[in-house]
Amino acid sequence: MERGEWDNETLLMEFLLLGLGDAHELQTPLFLLCLTIYTVTMVGNMLIIVLVITDPHLHTPMYFFLVNLSSLETCYSSSILPRLLVSFLTGDRTISVQGCMAQFFFFGTFATSECYLLAAMSYDRYLAICKPLHYSGLMNWKVCLQLVTGSWVVGLLISTGITSFMSRQRFCGPNAIDHFFCEEAPLLELSCSDTGMIRILIIILSFPDVVFPFLFTLASYVCIIAAILRIPSSIGRHKAFSTCSSHLTMVIVFYGTLIIVYMLPRTVPLRQLNKLFSFFYTVLTPLINPLIYSLRNREVKGALER
């Protein structure tokens, strides 16, 4: 588009988030559902953080990673649910372009950091099961701190890069985002700029963003499962598997829904299904984290009883 044509365009100042549905009678049930999910998510993850900090029995690398995962999940939920709750309560679905970019940035930062943190946790479990004699030397507190810091920094850098390019896009109408939060695919559908460069950038950054940590996590669990199967006694196999079952469940739920969301084409018939799976990995995953670790982990249950 030529510059003279740009001048004739009216740039948008705000977007309209269409949310999860238009039926007015569903707004109150959806508000109560999301409020319950957000409350349980915040209380559950904060409880895990407090338990790990206050109980000396949980001062191990595994639970250090869990504290950071719970912190991420808390921030992750808070980047989406409060705005969604306000829209259900007031009926106001508008969000400024700047607010949308801020939500996009924080969501991208926490989602990418979670991919890397899950990879770091899988590496921790790999060392604990496959190299138990060298575990304390290889997974010391310095390494733990480096892995956690690296997860947060990589998420911040990748999200900053994508958001800086996204914020340069021109949005001149229509302004309706067919989603419940500001996500890259529906945003690019509304852009009246040339999106070719940013789409290439997103594809390139998807490798360090999601693909590399996913493949690393997958490789770690292939080695872990192979090592567990080589244990001669069934009791030993069960004990080894119990040390990583909670984390493996989290990995399957997170990456399973994430892959479905980004593999589904954004055709009109599939958009509602896409939003449903997006709701699962952005809203329900932070909820099930404390449930999985409290219900399946004897040490966490023991700390809670104490």
Side-chain angles (χ1 to χ4, degrees):
M1 188 177 283
E2 298 296 331
R3 184 167 185 81
E5 293 178 90
W6 277 123
D7 294 338
N8 292 328
E9 296 284 358
T10 301
L11 298 182
L12 297 177
M13 300 302 292
E14 62 183 23
F15 294 115
L16 179 67
L17 290 168
L18 297 183
L20 296 171
D22 292 324
H24 180 72
E25 62 274 11
L26 292 177
Q27 301 308 300
T28 300
L30 285 173
F31 170 78
L32 294 174
L33 173 65
C34 290
L35 180 61
T36 303
I37 290 173
Y38 187 53
T39 303
V40 174
T41 298
M42 297 297 288
V43 171
N45 282 292
M46 292 301 294
L47 180 60
I48 285 180
I49 294 171
V50 171
L51 280 176
V52 174
I53 291 174
T54 57
D55 194 319
H57 296 87
L58 302 182
H59 291 178
T60 63
M62 175 179 166
Y63 293 103
F64 175 70
F65 289 125
L66 179 57
V67 164
N68 281 274
L69 180 63
S70 293
S71 301
L72 259 180
E73 303 283 30
T74 302
C75 298
Y76 196 63
S77 294
S78 298
S79 68
I80 295 175
L81 276 175
R83 180 67 192 81
L84 187 61
L85 287 170
V86 169
S87 69
F88 286 141
L89 194 61
T90 65
D92 181 12
R93 299 183 179 185
T94 60
I95 183 171
S96 68
V97 173
Q98 293 82 0
C100 191
M101 290 300 140
Q103 187 184 61
F104 178 81
F105 167 76
F106 285 113
F107 170 77
T109 299
F110 301 136
T112 303
S113 296
E114 181 157 348
C115 290
Y116 276 86
L117 189 58
L118 289 174
M121 294 175 76
S122 70
Y123 177 62
D124 172 68
R125 293 299 84 203
Y126 162 77
L127 292 179
I129 293 173
C130 299
K131 299 182 183 295
L133 298 179
H134 303 284
Y135 176 75
S136 58
L138 293 173
M139 187 55 69
N140 54 51
W141 287 109
K142 180 181 177 181
V143 173
C144 291
L145 189 59
Q146 288 173 340
L147 289 173
V148 167
T149 304
S151 299
W152 285 89
V153 170
V154 170
L156 181 64
L157 291 177
I158 291 177
S159 184
T160 299
I162 295 178
T163 306
S164 64
F165 276 88
M166 185 69 78
S167 62
R168 296 175 191 171
Q169 297 291 301
R170 287 176 174 263
F171 301 97
C172 38
N175 73 332
I177 298 176
D178 191 10
H179 218 303
F180 58 90
F181 71 103
C182 294
E183 203 251 353
E184 64 187 37
L187 271 175
L188 288 177
E189 291 173 359
L190 301 183
S191 174
C192 47
S193 303
D194 180 10
T195 60
M197 184 62 71
I198 192 171
R199 289 183 188 276
I200 292 173
L201 177 69
I202 289 172
I203 292 172
I204 293 172
L205 289 180
S206 68
F207 286 89
D209 186 354
V210 177
V211 177
F212 290 163
F214 171 69
L215 292 178
F216 183 88
T217 303
L218 183 63
S220 296
Y221 271 102
V222 168
C223 296
I224 288 170
I225 293 171
I228 290 175
L229 293 176
R230 288 196 296 267
I231 298 174
S233 70
S234 59
I235 296 175
R237 287 195 298 269
H238 181 267
K239 185 177 179 181
F241 184 73
S242 66
T243 65
C244 62
S245 59
S246 298
H247 179 253
L248 180 59
T249 304
M250 278 293 301
V251 168
I252 292 172
V253 171
F254 179 77
Y255 278 112
T257 52
L258 187 66
I259 289 170
I260 291 173
V261 165
Y262 288 101
M263 290 297 289
L264 276 177
R266 282 191 58 79
T267 56
V268 175
L270 293 177
R271 285 189 180 180
Q272 292 302 318
L273 188 61
N274 185 286
K275 284 195 283 187
L276 177 63
F277 281 107
S278 294
F279 186 81
F280 198 95
Y281 93 88
T282 58
V283 175
L284 294 183
T285 300
L287 169 69
I288 65 174
N289 170 42
L291 295 178
I292 288 173
Y293 276 97
S294 61
L295 294 176
R296 296 180 61 87
N297 192 297
R298 286 179 295 179
E299 290 178 314
V300 172
K301 285 192 288 187
L304 188 60
E305 290 169 2
R306 287 190 291 272

